[in-house]
Every structure is written in structure tokens, then in C-alpha cells.
């Protein structure tokens, strides 16, 4: 069993870490203060990411991406987790789902997105369809060569800076052994299409500078040529994508936790109380030990799922375990970090407080911890069904 | 015309230096591997720019070191160097700067068409800054140190700007030259992902002592420097006093009084 990174992977890690430290971290406080990323800064980050090949690193080399294997991509995402979510977004990894583009879609959506000329966002969640995505109420009704779309999507990331949405909508119903089930179709919908509006979403506690949006479709007409993948088979396309986003969340959490631990180590070694560094007290040092151990465990779970993906052997539960453990780990690490820093852990001047705030959403988005547990337990019990 | 950048693999800048019974060690608690000497990153960038802006046909990275030094050379390739050469032989171990200069000079003589050789101003581990000048001496080429800009390469001459304590000076000299550069010369680029991939596919040739025509002794036996007493500087002892006061003005006044009292000002 060889757990060593290759020279190429080590170089990628070093390069991305330097990029994060020089190009992203210096702007963290500004993003927190302004609750946004200036358009010039967005362009600056995108341009540099494009120049050095970080942009669209998840896309195949033959399409203009960096063509990273999944392990390398996870290592890159881990390093990006060391900085603001809002900032690292502009080192874009377009939704893997757009690789399902065919025909004219390739020139109109896929390639410009990889080149950084167009930007995607993914519209799935709805006010009445969160974890139960198939319960979505956004409807797509066929009318000749067009679909007429009506409904609302919410908590849609990056729609405020996107040029088009990858929209999932219910396009009909079918009878299955388990009863009536909605058929889902995926569409590419340009911003500015009549009947499609985007507005700022909810103010949430996590990830300042990043904004969720509410997408309203009111009789929006989309040509059938804009169906992504196969009509009524939108979830087939989505399922290929869900694993990679869960890995991405897990990797982000590992990087974020590593940075948090480093800050805690520094503080524990230099903050003197009662005549000695607080790290000399087991009440603090044991916290560091637990943090380091759980970070390592989360990292290996994540890398293991990535490695399995590269071997073509990853299962849903591999992604679920990585996402579940890494997000729960980050909650523990950031909470203990606040405790180690004491009052200063809650000061806005200290990045630890925002890591603590940011950590909360990781256990919710891209499948809550409960959904991940459901996936894992279902896999555990599946062999016993029908016995 | 080829430009050659001489680099060294050194501990990372975050590694902690310690001395135990005269033995020096560098430990990086973050597990960061050895890196291209940070001063040399400016030299690598400048070598690539000499190719991009001054018509050099090739930018070549050259390192003397153990086989592990290939990692530093891969970084040079990933940044944009066309070729990398490792000079490595067990007999080179323990060379002082003069021995190193003899080895590098022999390697440079073997590179046909090398006219500009660039070093970083010093290595972060040895910190002598001697090697560039010693290499120039062995080759019989012109040394120019503390270069902050390469202004022009025209025909057989090169015009450089040097950054000195009291100001800058412009120097024009004949090629070939050996220069050492300061950090003000440029902002080193990142290795690109494409470059990283290229670097890891590249074959880096290793030249041994048998491949070179080295004049003079090399290795520990020929070292003229005697590291007889290496020790860590004892930690300074001191105390911290926080100047209290109700206003900034009051605190400043108290601080000034204190500084006068201690004869600091």
C-alpha cells in the first residue's frame, strides 16, 4: 500500500498553497468587511488562475482544462479550503455536469466556461424541495420545440456572477414499482432569458462575500436544444456530479481545518497564562491532539474516496463518509479553536471566528449530515434486503 | 546564446534551524520538503525573461547536489526553463564554495553557447554569496553582483543595473557574464499546472565527475573552509513592558520619557 503523493501532486500542492497565500488570503479581510468580491478582484483572480492553469482544473486536458486526476483535484481543493470561500470560487472549477454538453452546446457553453469566458451556476434546491430533491415543484412543460418553465429555486450559489444556470425541473411523471415518480430534466438557461429573474437570496451566517440567490422562472421558454443530457433523465447526469461536489466540500473542510489548527498551535505555544504557554496545559494540548487526529482521519477518508474514483471503484457511500466526517470534523475543530483562543476567538479581527461561522453550512449543503448517514446506512443494510 | 540559471536546493523558509553538538539540522514542522533556494527563484524568473525578452535560445537550469535536488530542478522546469541538468557525484559531498565553483564552472563549460549565467544573490542555508564570483573567476568571465535589472543584451555586450546600498549603477560589459541577482529584479512566476506536468515528464540528465573536466580539488577533502565551531546564538533575554496611559498622547509621552531614561534616544 503506497500512500505517498507523486512528485507532480506535491508540486501542485505547493503551487496552489503559494497561490492561495499570495493571491487570495491578502483579500480575506476586505471580503469579510465588504461582504463581496470587487469585480476587478474577481477578474484579477480569474486571470491569474487561467494564466497558471488552475482554472477549470477539473476539466479534461483535451477540452482546455488541467485534466487533474481526482486525487490531485482533491489536493487542490484542500489548499483552496485554506482561504475564503468567496475568493476561491474565482479559481473556478465549473460544474462537472457540463461535460454532458453535446453538439452546439459544446461551443456555446462547455468550452467558453472552461476558457473562463462564461460562468455557470447550478439550480437544484427549492423552498419545498431541499434534501428531497425529487420532490421539486419547478415544472417544465413541453410546448413544441420548447419547454415552458415555471417555479422557484433558492440557495443557488454564484447565480449573481453566472452567465447561465444549469436548471433541474420536473418534466413529467412516471409509474414505478414504488409508485408515481417525477421525471427530471436538466436545462441550460441563459441569464436574461425572458421569464427568468435572479435576486439576492438570504443573508446567512456562513461565508461572507459569497451570496446565494433566488431564481424565479415565470413561463420562461427554453428550446429543447438546451436540454443537458437526456430528456427526463436529468438525475442520471446529476448523479455523476454529486460525488465530485461532496468530495470538494470534504477537501475544503480538511484545508480549512488544517489552517485553523496551525493558528491554534501558534497561539497555544505563545499565549502565556499563569507563567507558561497555555499549550503546556493538557486542557489545551489534548484539544490540539484531537484536532490533528481527526483532521488526518478526514483527509485520508477524502483521499481514499478520490483514489477510488480514479480507479472507477467509488460508491456513493465513499463520498458520503468523506463528506460526513470532514464536515463534522471541521465543526469540532473550529469550535475548539474558539475555545482555545478564548475571548479573542470571538473577535472579528481573528480569522478563527469566521472559520467557526463558515463551518456551520458545510454540514448542511450538498447533502446534510443526515442524508449522508442515510446513504451510508442504506448501503450497509442493502445486502440484507429481500433475505 | 543560452542562459543558464544555477540553483541550489535548500530547506524551506519555514524550516527551523538548530545546532546540536556542532551538527546543523533544519526541520520543517509542516513537513514541507526542500525547495529551490528562495533567492534563486528570482534568478530562474530572470533566466526565463532573458529568453522571452532578450533572444536567448534556451533557458537551462543547473544544480549541483544529491539526486534529491532533481525536485528543485523540476520546479525550474515547471516555471518555464527548457532544460535542467543535475551535477551529482558522491565525490562532490562536502565541497566548500570554491569546490562547488570548480564543479559548476566545469559543467558550464560543457554547455555549448552559454553566455549569461544567473545566480540568486546567496543561498539561505550557507548565506555566503561567494559562489557566483568564484564561478566567474574559474571561467574567466565577468562577474556582476547585486543585479536589479537586465537592461539590454546587444551583440556581444550586456547592460545591467546594480542595486547598491547608496544607489544604483549601470554597468555595460562584454559577454559572457556571471551575474547574481537581488529580489528587486522581478516577481517570480508560479509554476503552471502545464509546466508541472511537463516537468514531471521530463528526463533530467545527471552529470557525474567523470563527465566533467574539473580543475582543482572538490569534496570534503579539498575544502579549504574549516567549520570547526558551529553553534546556535543563545536566545536573548529581555522583558516586555506595556506603556499604559489614558490617551495616545499620554502613552507616547511616557514612551519618550522611557527611551530618554534608557538612553535609547
Amino acid at each position: 500500500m503506497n500512500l505517498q503523493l507523486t512528485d507532480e501532486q506535491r508540486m501542485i500542492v505547493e503551487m496552489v498553497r503559494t497561490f492561495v497565500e499570495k493571491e487570495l488570503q491578502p483579500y480575506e479581510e476586505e471580503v469579510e468587511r465588504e461582504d463581496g468580491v470587487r469585480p476587478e478582484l474577481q477578474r484579477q483572480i480569474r486571470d491569474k488562475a487561467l494564466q497558471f492553469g488552475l482554472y477549470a482544473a477539473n476539466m479534461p486536458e483535451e477540452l482546455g482544462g488541467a485534466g487533474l486526476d481526482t486525487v490531485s483535484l482533491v489536493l487542490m481543493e484542500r489548499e483552496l479550503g485554506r482561504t475564503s470561500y468567496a475568493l476561491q470560487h474565482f479559481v473556478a472549477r465549473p460544474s462537472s455536469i457540463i461535460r454532458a454538453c453535446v453538439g452546439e452546446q459544446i461551443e456555446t457553453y462547455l468550452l467558453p466556461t472552461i476558457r473562463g469566458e462564461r460562468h455557470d451556476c447550478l439550480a437544484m434546491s427549492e423552498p419545498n424541495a431541499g434534501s428531497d430533491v425529487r420532490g421539486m415543484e419547478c415544472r417544465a412543460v413541453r410546448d413544441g420545440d420548447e419547454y415552458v418553465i415555471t417555479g422557484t429555486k433558492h440557495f443557488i450559489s454564484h447565480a449573481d456572477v453566472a452567465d447561465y444556470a444549469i436548471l433541474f425541473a420536473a418534466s413529467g411523471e412516471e409509474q414505478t414499482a414504488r409508485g408515481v415518480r417525477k421525471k427530471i430534466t436538466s436545462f441550460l438557461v441563459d441569464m436574461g432569458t425572458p421569464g427568468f429573474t435572479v435576486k439576492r437570496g438570504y443573508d446567512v451566517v456562513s461565508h461572507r462575500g459569497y451570496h446565494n440567490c433566488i431564481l424565479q422562472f415565470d413561463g420562461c421558454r427554453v428550446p429543447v436544444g438546451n436540454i443537458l443530457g437526456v430528456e427526463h433523465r436529468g438525475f442520471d447526469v446529476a448523479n455523476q456530479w454529486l460525488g465530485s461536489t461532496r468530495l470538494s466540500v470534504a477537501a475544503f473542510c480538511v484545508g480549512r481545518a488544517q489552517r485553523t489548527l496551525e493558528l491554534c498551535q501558534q497561539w497555544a505555544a505563545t499565549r502565556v497564562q499563569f507563567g507558561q504557554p497555555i499549550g503546556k496545559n493538557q486542557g489545551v494540548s489534548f484539544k490540539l491532539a484531537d484536532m490533528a487526529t481527526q483532521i488526518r482521519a478526514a483527509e485520508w477518508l477524502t483521499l481514499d474516496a478520490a483514489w477510488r474514483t480514479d480507479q472507477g471503484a467509488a460508491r456513493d457511500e465513499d463520498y458520503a463518509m468523506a463528506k460526513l466526517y470532514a464536515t463534522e470534523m471541521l465543526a469540532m475543530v473550529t469550535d475548539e479553536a474558539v475555545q482555545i483562543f478564548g475571548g479573542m476567538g470571538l473577535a472579528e479581527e481573528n480569522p478563527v471566528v469566521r472559520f467557526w461561522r463558515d463551518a456551520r453550512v458545510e454540514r448542511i449543503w450538498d447533502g446534510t449530515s443526515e442524508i449522508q448517514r442515510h446513504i451510508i446506512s442504506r448501503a450497509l443494510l442493502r445486502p440484507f434486503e429481500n433475505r | 546564446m543560452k542562459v543558464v540559471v544555477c540553483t541550489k536546493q535548500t530547506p524551506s523558509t519555514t524550516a527551523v534551524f538548530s545546532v546540536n553538538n556542532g551538527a546543523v539540522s533544519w526541520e520543517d514542522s509542516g513537513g514541507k520538503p526542500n525547495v529551490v533556494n528562495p533567492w534563486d527563484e528570482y534568478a530562474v524568473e530572470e533566466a526565463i525573461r532573458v529568453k522571452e525578452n532578450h533572444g536567448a535560445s534556451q533557458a537551462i537550469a543547473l544544480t549541483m547536489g544529491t539526486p534529491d535536488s532533481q525536485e528543485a530542478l523540476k520546479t525550474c522546469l515547471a516555471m518555464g526553463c527548457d532544460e535542467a541538468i543535475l551535477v551529482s557525484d558522491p565525490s562532490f559531498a562536502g565541497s566548500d564554495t570554491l569546490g562547488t565553483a570548480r564543479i559548476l564552472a566545469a559543467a558550464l563549460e560543457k554547455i555549448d553557447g552559454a553566455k549569461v549565467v544567473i545566480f540568486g544573490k546567496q543561498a539561505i542555508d550557507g548565506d555566503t554569496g561567494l559562489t557566483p564570483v568564484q564561478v566567474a573567476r574559474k571561467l574567466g568571465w565577468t562577474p556582476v553582483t547585486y543585479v536589479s535589472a537586465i537592461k539590454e543584451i546587444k551583440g556581444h555586450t550586456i547592460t545591467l543595473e546594480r542595486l547598491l546600498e547608496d544607489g544604483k549603477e549601470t554597468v555595460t560589459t562584454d559577454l559572457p557574464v556571471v551575474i547574481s541577482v537581488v529580489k528587486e529584479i522581478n516577481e517570480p512566476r508560479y509554476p503552471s499546472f502545464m509546466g508541472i506536468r511537463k516537468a514531471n515528464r521530463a528526463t533530467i540528465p545527471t552529470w557525474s565527475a567523470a563527465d566533467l573536466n574539473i580543475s582543482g580539488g572538490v569534496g570534503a577533502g579539498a575544502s579549504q573552509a574549516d567549520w570547526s565551531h558551529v553553534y546556535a546564538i543563545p536566545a536573548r533575554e529581555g522583558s516586555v513592558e506595556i506603556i499604559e496611559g489614558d490617551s495616545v498622547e499620554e502613552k507616547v509621552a511616557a514612551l519618550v520619557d522611557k527611551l530618554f531614561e534608557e538612553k535609547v534616544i
Side-chain angles (χ1 to χ4, degrees), chain B residues 197-233:
Chain B
R197 188 153 294 155
K198 188 188 95 176
N200 282 284
R201 288 173 186 160
T203 304
I204 296 175
T206 301
W207 292 351
S208 68
D211 297 314
L212 303 174
N213 184 18
I214 301 169
S215 75
V218 300
S223 176
Q224 304 201 11
D226 177 16
W227 305 92
S228 56
H229 187 204
V230 180
Y231 58 97
I233 298 169

mmCIF file of all heavy atoms in Angstrom, chain B residues 197-233:
data_model
loop_
_atom_site.group_PDB
_atom_site.id
_atom_site.type_symbol
_atom_site.label_atom_id
_atom_site.label_comp_id
_atom_site.label_asym_id
_atom_site.label_seq_id
_atom_site.Cartn_x
_atom_site.Cartn_y
_atom_site.Cartn_z
ATOM 1 N N ARG B 197 3.248 19.494 -15.174
ATOM 2 C CA ARG B 197 3.086 18.218 -15.906
ATOM 3 C C ARG B 197 4.293 17.980 -16.816
ATOM 4 O O ARG B 197 4.836 16.883 -16.857
ATOM 5 C CB ARG B 197 1.798 18.298 -16.723
ATOM 6 C CG ARG B 197 1.435 16.990 -17.357
ATOM 7 C CD ARG B 197 -0.045 16.888 -17.571
ATOM 8 N NE ARG B 197 -0.749 16.850 -16.309
ATOM 9 C CZ ARG B 197 -2.015 17.245 -16.163
ATOM 10 N NH1 ARG B 197 -2.666 17.726 -17.177
ATOM 11 N NH2 ARG B 197 -2.616 17.153 -14.995
ATOM 12 N N LYS B 198 4.713 19.024 -17.501
ATOM 13 C CA LYS B 198 5.864 18.896 -18.404
ATOM 14 C C LYS B 198 7.109 18.500 -17.603
ATOM 15 O O LYS B 198 7.878 17.620 -18.005
ATOM 16 C CB LYS B 198 6.109 20.247 -19.112
ATOM 17 C CG LYS B 198 7.153 20.196 -20.204
ATOM 18 C CD LYS B 198 7.474 21.590 -20.729
ATOM 19 C CE LYS B 198 8.678 22.161 -20.016
ATOM 20 N NZ LYS B 198 9.163 23.451 -20.472
ATOM 21 N N ALA B 199 7.280 19.135 -16.470
ATOM 22 C CA ALA B 199 8.471 18.877 -15.652
ATOM 23 C C ALA B 199 8.518 17.425 -15.183
ATOM 24 O O ALA B 199 9.594 16.815 -15.124
ATOM 25 C CB ALA B 199 8.467 19.809 -14.433
ATOM 26 N N ASN B 200 7.353 16.889 -14.881
ATOM 27 C CA ASN B 200 7.336 15.517 -14.372
ATOM 28 C C ASN B 200 7.445 14.471 -15.475
ATOM 29 O O ASN B 200 7.651 13.300 -15.193
ATOM 30 C CB ASN B 200 6.097 15.301 -13.496
ATOM 31 C CG ASN B 200 6.306 15.906 -12.121
ATOM 32 O OD1 ASN B 200 7.013 15.352 -11.292
ATOM 33 N ND2 ASN B 200 5.725 17.088 -11.897
ATOM 34 N N ARG B 201 7.288 14.928 -16.714
ATOM 35 C CA ARG B 201 7.503 14.011 -17.840
ATOM 36 C C ARG B 201 8.935 14.110 -18.340
ATOM 37 O O ARG B 201 9.387 13.280 -19.117
ATOM 38 C CB ARG B 201 6.546 14.346 -18.983
ATOM 39 C CG ARG B 201 5.092 13.947 -18.680
ATOM 40 C CD ARG B 201 4.149 14.460 -19.765
ATOM 41 N NE ARG B 201 2.761 14.212 -19.414
ATOM 42 C CZ ARG B 201 1.736 14.864 -19.943
ATOM 43 N NH1 ARG B 201 1.922 15.803 -20.847
ATOM 44 N NH2 ARG B 201 0.496 14.579 -19.577
ATOM 45 N N ALA B 202 9.656 15.161 -17.933
ATOM 46 C CA ALA B 202 11.000 15.410 -18.478
ATOM 47 C C ALA B 202 12.020 14.447 -17.880
ATOM 48 O O ALA B 202 11.884 13.985 -16.755
ATOM 49 C CB ALA B 202 11.403 16.846 -18.164
ATOM 50 N N THR B 203 13.041 14.169 -18.655
ATOM 51 C CA THR B 203 14.175 13.399 -18.149
ATOM 52 C C THR B 203 15.287 14.393 -17.829
ATOM 53 O O THR B 203 15.669 15.196 -18.682
ATOM 54 C CB THR B 203 14.671 12.406 -19.220
ATOM 55 O OG1 THR B 203 13.558 11.598 -19.603
ATOM 56 C CG2 THR B 203 15.785 11.526 -18.687
ATOM 57 N N ILE B 204 15.745 14.350 -16.602
ATOM 58 C CA ILE B 204 16.800 15.295 -16.198
ATOM 59 C C ILE B 204 18.129 14.547 -16.205
ATOM 60 O O ILE B 204 18.328 13.608 -15.413
ATOM 61 C CB ILE B 204 16.495 15.871 -14.799
ATOM 62 C CG1 ILE B 204 15.195 16.682 -14.855
ATOM 63 C CG2 ILE B 204 17.655 16.729 -14.302
ATOM 64 C CD1 ILE B 204 14.713 17.207 -13.522
ATOM 65 N N PRO B 205 19.035 14.929 -17.101
ATOM 66 C CA PRO B 205 20.318 14.217 -17.145
ATOM 67 C C PRO B 205 21.167 14.515 -15.903
ATOM 68 O O PRO B 205 21.094 15.612 -15.346
ATOM 69 C CB PRO B 205 20.990 14.770 -18.405
ATOM 70 C CG PRO B 205 20.336 16.082 -18.655
ATOM 71 C CD PRO B 205 18.948 15.998 -18.095
ATOM 72 N N THR B 206 21.932 13.520 -15.476
ATOM 73 C CA THR B 206 22.849 13.718 -14.351
ATOM 74 C C THR B 206 24.277 13.608 -14.875
ATOM 75 O O THR B 206 24.642 12.617 -15.519
ATOM 76 C CB THR B 206 22.611 12.641 -13.270
ATOM 77 O OG1 THR B 206 21.263 12.733 -12.820
ATOM 78 C CG2 THR B 206 23.551 12.837 -12.086
ATOM 79 N N TRP B 207 25.042 14.655 -14.611
ATOM 80 C CA TRP B 207 26.456 14.637 -14.997
ATOM 81 C C TRP B 207 27.267 14.313 -13.736
ATOM 82 O O TRP B 207 27.142 14.970 -12.707
ATOM 83 C CB TRP B 207 26.890 15.989 -15.548
ATOM 84 C CG TRP B 207 26.256 16.323 -16.882
ATOM 85 C CD1 TRP B 207 25.512 15.490 -17.683
ATOM 86 C CD2 TRP B 207 26.295 17.587 -17.559
ATOM 87 N NE1 TRP B 207 25.096 16.153 -18.819
ATOM 88 C CE2 TRP B 207 25.567 17.439 -18.768
ATOM 89 C CE3 TRP B 207 26.878 18.819 -17.281
ATOM 90 C CZ2 TRP B 207 25.417 18.488 -19.679
ATOM 91 C CZ3 TRP B 207 26.728 19.869 -18.192
ATOM 92 C CH2 TRP B 207 26.007 19.707 -19.381
ATOM 93 N N SER B 208 28.127 13.303 -13.852
ATOM 94 C CA SER B 208 28.974 12.924 -12.710
ATOM 95 C C SER B 208 30.353 13.539 -12.885
ATOM 96 O O SER B 208 30.639 14.196 -13.902
ATOM 97 C CB SER B 208 29.071 11.403 -12.624
ATOM 98 O OG SER B 208 29.806 10.933 -13.742
ATOM 99 N N ALA B 209 31.234 13.281 -11.938
ATOM 100 C CA ALA B 209 32.600 13.802 -12.022
ATOM 101 C C ALA B 209 33.276 13.330 -13.315
ATOM 102 O O ALA B 209 34.044 14.074 -13.940
ATOM 103 C CB ALA B 209 33.392 13.342 -10.802
ATOM 104 N N ALA B 210 32.967 12.105 -13.720
ATOM 105 C CA ALA B 210 33.603 11.543 -14.921
ATOM 106 C C ALA B 210 33.165 12.268 -16.182
ATOM 107 O O ALA B 210 33.864 12.223 -17.209
ATOM 108 C CB ALA B 210 33.252 10.063 -15.020
ATOM 109 N N ASP B 211 32.025 12.943 -16.130
ATOM 110 C CA ASP B 211 31.515 13.659 -17.313
ATOM 111 C C ASP B 211 32.104 15.058 -17.431
ATOM 112 O O ASP B 211 31.881 15.750 -18.427
ATOM 113 C CB ASP B 211 29.989 13.782 -17.235
ATOM 114 C CG ASP B 211 29.299 12.433 -17.246
ATOM 115 O OD1 ASP B 211 29.677 11.599 -18.089
ATOM 116 O OD2 ASP B 211 28.416 12.217 -16.391
ATOM 117 N N LEU B 212 32.802 15.499 -16.389
ATOM 118 C CA LEU B 212 33.262 16.889 -16.351
ATOM 119 C C LEU B 212 34.786 16.969 -16.307
ATOM 120 O O LEU B 212 35.449 16.062 -15.795
ATOM 121 C CB LEU B 212 32.688 17.591 -15.107
ATOM 122 C CG LEU B 212 31.162 17.598 -14.971
ATOM 123 C CD1 LEU B 212 30.752 18.190 -13.621
ATOM 124 C CD2 LEU B 212 30.513 18.371 -16.104
ATOM 125 N N ASN B 213 35.270 18.057 -16.815
ATOM 126 C CA ASN B 213 36.720 18.285 -16.780
ATOM 127 C C ASN B 213 36.997 19.301 -15.660
ATOM 128 O O ASN B 213 37.163 20.498 -15.907
ATOM 129 C CB ASN B 213 37.173 18.813 -18.150
ATOM 130 C CG ASN B 213 38.675 18.967 -18.218
ATOM 131 O OD1 ASN B 213 39.405 18.395 -17.398
ATOM 132 N ND2 ASN B 213 39.140 19.763 -19.174
ATOM 133 N N ILE B 214 37.028 18.785 -14.430
ATOM 134 C CA ILE B 214 37.133 19.685 -13.279
ATOM 135 C C ILE B 214 38.595 19.965 -12.968
ATOM 136 O O ILE B 214 39.390 19.033 -12.856
ATOM 137 C CB ILE B 214 36.457 19.059 -12.033
ATOM 138 C CG1 ILE B 214 34.983 18.767 -12.326
ATOM 139 C CG2 ILE B 214 36.593 19.963 -10.814
ATOM 140 C CD1 ILE B 214 34.290 17.926 -11.276
ATOM 141 N N SER B 215 38.916 21.242 -12.851
ATOM 142 C CA SER B 215 40.314 21.564 -12.486
ATOM 143 C C SER B 215 40.344 21.971 -11.015
ATOM 144 O O SER B 215 39.634 22.860 -10.585
ATOM 145 C CB SER B 215 40.846 22.683 -13.379
ATOM 146 O OG SER B 215 40.321 23.902 -13.010
ATOM 147 N N GLY B 216 41.166 21.270 -10.242
ATOM 148 C CA GLY B 216 41.277 21.556 -8.816
ATOM 149 C C GLY B 216 40.467 20.574 -7.993
ATOM 150 O O GLY B 216 39.652 19.811 -8.527
ATOM 151 N N GLY B 217 40.705 20.616 -6.700
ATOM 152 C CA GLY B 217 40.074 19.649 -5.809
ATOM 153 C C GLY B 217 38.637 19.988 -5.475
ATOM 154 O O GLY B 217 38.250 21.157 -5.442
ATOM 155 N N VAL B 218 37.871 18.958 -5.250
ATOM 156 C CA VAL B 218 36.482 19.120 -4.821
ATOM 157 C C VAL B 218 36.196 18.139 -3.681
ATOM 158 O O VAL B 218 36.980 17.237 -3.403
ATOM 159 C CB VAL B 218 35.482 18.881 -5.976
ATOM 160 C CG1 VAL B 218 35.702 19.850 -7.107
ATOM 161 C CG2 VAL B 218 35.573 17.437 -6.481
ATOM 162 N N GLY B 219 35.041 18.326 -3.031
ATOM 163 C CA GLY B 219 34.651 17.420 -1.958
ATOM 164 C C GLY B 219 35.210 17.853 -0.623
ATOM 165 O O GLY B 219 35.966 18.841 -0.523
ATOM 166 N N ALA B 220 34.857 17.107 0.407
ATOM 167 C CA ALA B 220 35.228 17.480 1.778
ATOM 168 C C ALA B 220 36.738 17.547 1.958
ATOM 169 O O ALA B 220 37.261 18.438 2.643
ATOM 170 C CB ALA B 220 34.619 16.480 2.763
ATOM 171 N N GLY B 221 37.471 16.636 1.306
ATOM 172 C CA GLY B 221 38.918 16.586 1.478
ATOM 173 C C GLY B 221 39.619 17.824 0.950
ATOM 174 O O GLY B 221 40.691 18.201 1.452
ATOM 175 N N ALA B 222 39.023 18.433 -0.068
ATOM 176 C CA ALA B 222 39.671 19.609 -0.680
ATOM 177 C C ALA B 222 39.135 20.916 -0.103
ATOM 178 O O ALA B 222 39.585 22.000 -0.483
ATOM 179 C CB ALA B 222 39.431 19.590 -2.190
ATOM 180 N N SER B 223 38.185 20.803 0.810
ATOM 181 C CA SER B 223 37.563 22.012 1.334
ATOM 182 C C SER B 223 38.569 22.842 2.117
ATOM 183 O O SER B 223 39.283 22.325 2.973
ATOM 184 C CB SER B 223 36.379 21.621 2.236
ATOM 185 O OG SER B 223 35.829 22.768 2.812
ATOM 186 N N GLN B 224 38.626 24.122 1.791
ATOM 187 C CA GLN B 224 39.564 24.997 2.482
ATOM 188 C C GLN B 224 38.913 25.701 3.671
ATOM 189 O O GLN B 224 39.587 26.337 4.455
ATOM 190 C CB GLN B 224 40.128 26.024 1.503
ATOM 191 C CG GLN B 224 40.756 25.328 0.324
ATOM 192 C CD GLN B 224 41.748 26.181 -0.412
ATOM 193 O OE1 GLN B 224 42.130 27.242 0.055
ATOM 194 N NE2 GLN B 224 42.176 25.713 -1.568
ATOM 195 N N ALA B 225 37.601 25.579 3.727
ATOM 196 C CA ALA B 225 36.898 26.168 4.869
ATOM 197 C C ALA B 225 36.807 25.117 5.968
ATOM 198 O O ALA B 225 36.513 23.952 5.702
ATOM 199 C CB ALA B 225 35.494 26.598 4.451
ATOM 200 N N ASP B 226 37.069 25.532 7.171
ATOM 201 C CA ASP B 226 37.044 24.606 8.301
ATOM 202 C C ASP B 226 35.906 25.015 9.239
ATOM 203 O O ASP B 226 35.976 26.056 9.880
ATOM 204 C CB ASP B 226 38.390 24.667 9.038
ATOM 205 C CG ASP B 226 38.395 23.772 10.267
ATOM 206 O OD1 ASP B 226 37.499 22.913 10.359
ATOM 207 O OD2 ASP B 226 39.279 23.950 11.121
ATOM 208 N N TRP B 227 34.866 24.201 9.286
ATOM 209 C CA TRP B 227 33.699 24.517 10.122
ATOM 210 C C TRP B 227 33.951 23.913 11.513
ATOM 211 O O TRP B 227 33.296 22.962 11.913
ATOM 212 C CB TRP B 227 32.420 23.962 9.502
ATOM 213 C CG TRP B 227 32.204 24.435 8.101
ATOM 214 C CD1 TRP B 227 32.597 23.825 6.960
ATOM 215 C CD2 TRP B 227 31.572 25.655 7.701
ATOM 216 N NE1 TRP B 227 32.261 24.568 5.851
ATOM 217 C CE2 TRP B 227 31.620 25.706 6.283
ATOM 218 C CE3 TRP B 227 30.984 26.729 8.381
ATOM 219 C CZ2 TRP B 227 31.101 26.767 5.556
ATOM 220 C CZ3 TRP B 227 30.464 27.777 7.648
ATOM 221 C CH2 TRP B 227 30.523 27.788 6.255
ATOM 222 N N SER B 228 34.935 24.473 12.207
ATOM 223 C CA SER B 228 35.377 23.832 13.438
ATOM 224 C C SER B 228 34.433 24.092 14.615
ATOM 225 O O SER B 228 34.395 23.319 15.552
ATOM 226 C CB SER B 228 36.781 24.313 13.794
ATOM 227 O OG SER B 228 36.769 25.722 13.890
ATOM 228 N N HIS B 229 33.709 25.185 14.571
ATOM 229 C CA HIS B 229 32.889 25.520 15.726
ATOM 230 C C HIS B 229 31.559 26.107 15.259
ATOM 231 O O HIS B 229 31.481 27.288 14.899
ATOM 232 C CB HIS B 229 33.640 26.526 16.626
ATOM 233 C CG HIS B 229 32.924 26.790 17.919
ATOM 234 N ND1 HIS B 229 33.103 27.939 18.643
ATOM 235 C CD2 HIS B 229 32.022 26.048 18.592
ATOM 236 C CE1 HIS B 229 32.335 27.893 19.717
ATOM 237 N NE2 HIS B 229 31.683 26.760 19.709
ATOM 238 N N VAL B 230 30.568 25.269 15.202
ATOM 239 C CA VAL B 230 29.242 25.724 14.782
ATOM 240 C C VAL B 230 28.333 25.689 16.005
ATOM 241 O O VAL B 230 28.261 24.679 16.700
ATOM 242 C CB VAL B 230 28.663 24.820 13.677
ATOM 243 C CG1 VAL B 230 27.289 25.315 13.249
ATOM 244 C CG2 VAL B 230 29.604 24.781 12.483
ATOM 245 N N TYR B 231 27.712 26.791 16.291
ATOM 246 C CA TYR B 231 26.860 26.825 17.475
ATOM 247 C C TYR B 231 25.695 27.791 17.249
ATOM 248 O O TYR B 231 25.773 28.685 16.396
ATOM 249 C CB TYR B 231 27.653 27.264 18.714
ATOM 250 C CG TYR B 231 28.292 28.626 18.562
ATOM 251 C CD1 TYR B 231 27.665 29.767 19.069
ATOM 252 C CD2 TYR B 231 29.503 28.766 17.914
ATOM 253 C CE1 TYR B 231 28.233 31.014 18.901
ATOM 254 C CE2 TYR B 231 30.089 30.010 17.754
ATOM 255 C CZ TYR B 231 29.456 31.128 18.248
ATOM 256 O OH TYR B 231 30.030 32.359 18.078
ATOM 257 N N ALA B 232 24.652 27.560 17.974
ATOM 258 C CA ALA B 232 23.478 28.431 17.861
ATOM 259 C C ALA B 232 23.700 29.664 18.726
ATOM 260 O O ALA B 232 24.332 29.586 19.785
ATOM 261 C CB ALA B 232 22.230 27.690 18.316
ATOM 262 N N ILE B 233 23.221 30.788 18.258
ATOM 263 C CA ILE B 233 23.326 32.010 19.052
ATOM 264 C C ILE B 233 22.381 31.881 20.244
ATOM 265 O O ILE B 233 21.205 31.527 20.064
ATOM 266 C CB ILE B 233 22.948 33.236 18.208
ATOM 267 C CG1 ILE B 233 23.928 33.364 17.042
ATOM 268 C CG2 ILE B 233 22.928 34.505 19.052
ATOM 269 C CD1 ILE B 233 23.519 34.371 16.004
#
